[in-house]
Amino acid sequence: MMSIRAVALVGLGVLGLVALPVQAEEVTKTAQQGSVKAELSYEKVSSDGISQTRNVRLKIYRTGQSVFNRSPSVNEYDRPMIELLGNEKDDRGFLVRDLNGDKDPEVIADMFTGGAHCCRYSLIYHYDRDQQQYIESRADWGDLGYRLRDFDRDGKTEFYSADDRFAYAFTSYAASAFPIQILRFENGKMVDVTRQYPKQVYSDAYQLWQHYQEVKAKEDAEVKGVLAAYLADKYLLGQQENGWKQLESVYQESDREDFFAKLRKFLKDANYAQ
């Protein structure tokens, strides 16, 4: 813990202004799987009631030997998610985990840029045996985040999330909905494997349709966001024709043609329509 008291002399006749103390707390988090251990350190700085994070640094050890010691690629105001999540049982926000089943764990450091609806992202470090060093990759989640799953129980981890591109696409954020998105970390990058999990997609589509039934019953209901996400799930299931029939049946508002045209283009640009 450190306190700094500064005195500023400004202008004529001003004897001095005493600034509020700046407090900095050193924080170090550790995570380990097998012979791979990681340390994430940073300073929590509070000044004038505002909390910031600075001097973020990541260290990675393999069998006790330091092989990575540098600052992650973060912006000035980005903060480690682990600071905001607290003491979660699974230590979400910072962990070491074998993501692809090759017995060589990756390091995941989740970050938050701040703001009401944005943004969360993950910095993932995988070991390149040819270069004998860790390579940094980035996965962006928008406002939604993710959960780690192993749907196939094959030792390969899936990132269970939703498609943040639907935020504000057809309505306000509060009325937006998001179709399921499942990704896997392969060869140093995120790969969308959502279509490989029809059971999970079907469940998501069912929940979205139930949500639509609830929303439409409200006064001044705004349903376009929910219907757009539902139709995206139907595309993922290969049931887009049935999905369009449902939308054409239930959505009869005056902007119907404009909404449908915009939705068709959006789904094509977002690679739902193949």
Side-chain angles (χ1 to χ4, degrees), residues 34 39 61 73 79 86 95-96 101 121 131 139 145-147 151 166 175 177 181 188 201 210 217 228 241 258 263:
E39 291 182 358
Y61 302 86
S73 300
R79 302 170 65 183
L95 72 159
V96 178
Y121 64 93
Q131 301 183 50
Y146 66 91
R147 291 284 188 175
F151 291 120
F166 282 73
Q181 191 172 63
V201 177
Q210 294 300 113
E241 292 184 8
D258 289 339
L263 181 53

Side-chain angles (χ1 to χ4, degrees), residues 150-242:
D150 184 359
F151 291 120
D152 304 312
R153 298 183 179 179
D154 59 356
K156 295 182 179 181
T157 300
E158 285 77 45
F159 289 75
Y160 177 58
S161 186
D163 194 341
D164 188 68
R165 291 175 295 180
F166 282 73
Y168 302 106
F170 305 97
T171 183
S172 66
Y173 187 90
S176 295
F178 309 92
I180 187 174
Q181 191 172 63
I182 302 174
L183 302 106
R184 195 179 295 135
F185 187 74
E186 297 178 350
N187 300 318
K189 62 182 180 180
M190 283 292 186
V191 179
D192 191 329
V193 294
T194 313
R195 286 183 168 88
Q196 297 179 22
Y197 297 93
K199 179 179 178 180
Q200 284 74 21
V201 177
Y202 178 85
S203 176
D204 190 67
Y206 176 81
Q207 293 176 49
L208 284 170
W209 190 255
Q210 294 300 113
H211 182 46
Y212 161 72
Q213 299 292 340
E214 297 172 0
V215 171
K216 75 172 185 177
K218 299 178 180 179
E219 186 177 355
D220 298 325
E222 178 53 80
V223 299
K224 287 188 290 187
V226 182
L227 290 175
Y230 172 76
L231 185 59
D233 276 352
K234 296 291 278 185
Y235 268 86
L236 292 172
L237 292 168
Q239 300 173 1
Q240 55 268 29
E241 292 184 8
N242 174 264

Side-chain angles (χ1 to χ4, degrees), residues 38-220:
E39 291 182 358
L40 184 68
S41 61
Y42 53 90
E43 289 182 332
K44 293 173 62 175
V45 183
S46 298
S47 178
D48 297 335
I50 299 175
S51 179
Q52 289 183 313
T53 301
R54 68 186 184 190
N55 297 330
V56 181
R57 195 160 194 88
L58 176 66
K59 298 178 182 179
I60 305 176
Y61 302 86
R62 295 174 66 85
T63 59
Q65 300 296 314
S66 176
V67 294
F68 187 96
N69 184 356
R70 68 184 69 167
S71 298
S73 300
V74 297
N75 291 324
E76 180 181 359
Y77 296 103
D78 294 358
R79 302 170 65 183
M81 279 298 300
I82 197 169
E83 175 188 335
L84 306 176
L85 291 169
N87 295 320
E88 297 282 344
K89 289 183 179 180
D90 59 351
D91 225 12
R92 285 184 302 127
F94 179 58
L95 72 159
V96 178
R97 180 158 174 172
D98 181 5
L99 298 177
N100 50 25
D102 65 355
K103 310 301 181 183
D104 196 346
E106 284 72 33
V107 177
I108 307 175
D110 294 330
M111 301 290 171
F112 178 57
T113 65
H117 293 300
C118 209
C119 287
R120 301 183 182 194
Y121 64 93
S122 297
L123 297 177
I124 304 176
Y125 300 83
H126 73 282
Y127 190 69
D128 187 306
R129 293 186 178 277
D130 293 333
Q131 301 183 50
Q132 294 188 343
Q133 63 178 336
Y134 277 90
I135 308 298
E136 180 188 273
S137 304
R138 173 167 169 156
D140 291 289
W141 309 108
D143 189 50
L144 302 177
Y146 66 91
R147 291 284 188 175
L148 294 179
R149 297 288 185 266
D150 184 359
F151 291 120
D152 304 312
R153 298 183 179 179
D154 59 356
K156 295 182 179 181
T157 300
E158 285 77 45
F159 289 75
Y160 177 58
S161 186
D163 194 341
D164 188 68
R165 291 175 295 180
F166 282 73
Y168 302 106
F170 305 97
T171 183
S172 66
Y173 187 90
S176 295
F178 309 92
I180 187 174
Q181 191 172 63
I182 302 174
L183 302 106
R184 195 179 295 135
F185 187 74
E186 297 178 350
N187 300 318
K189 62 182 180 180
M190 283 292 186
V191 179
D192 191 329
V193 294
T194 313
R195 286 183 168 88
Q196 297 179 22
Y197 297 93
K199 179 179 178 180
Q200 284 74 21
V201 177
Y202 178 85
S203 176
D204 190 67
Y206 176 81
Q207 293 176 49
L208 284 170
W209 190 255
Q210 294 300 113
H211 182 46
Y212 161 72
Q213 299 292 340
E214 297 172 0
V215 171
K216 75 172 185 177
K218 299 178 180 179
E219 186 177 355
D220 298 325

Side-chain angles (χ1 to χ4, degrees), residues 1-5 21-26 43 45-46 54:
M1 193 74 65
M2 176 179 64
S3 296
I4 300 175
R5 189 171 297 274
V22 177
Q23 297 180 322
E25 176 187 357
E26 294 278 357
E43 289 182 332
V45 183
S46 298
R54 68 186 184 190

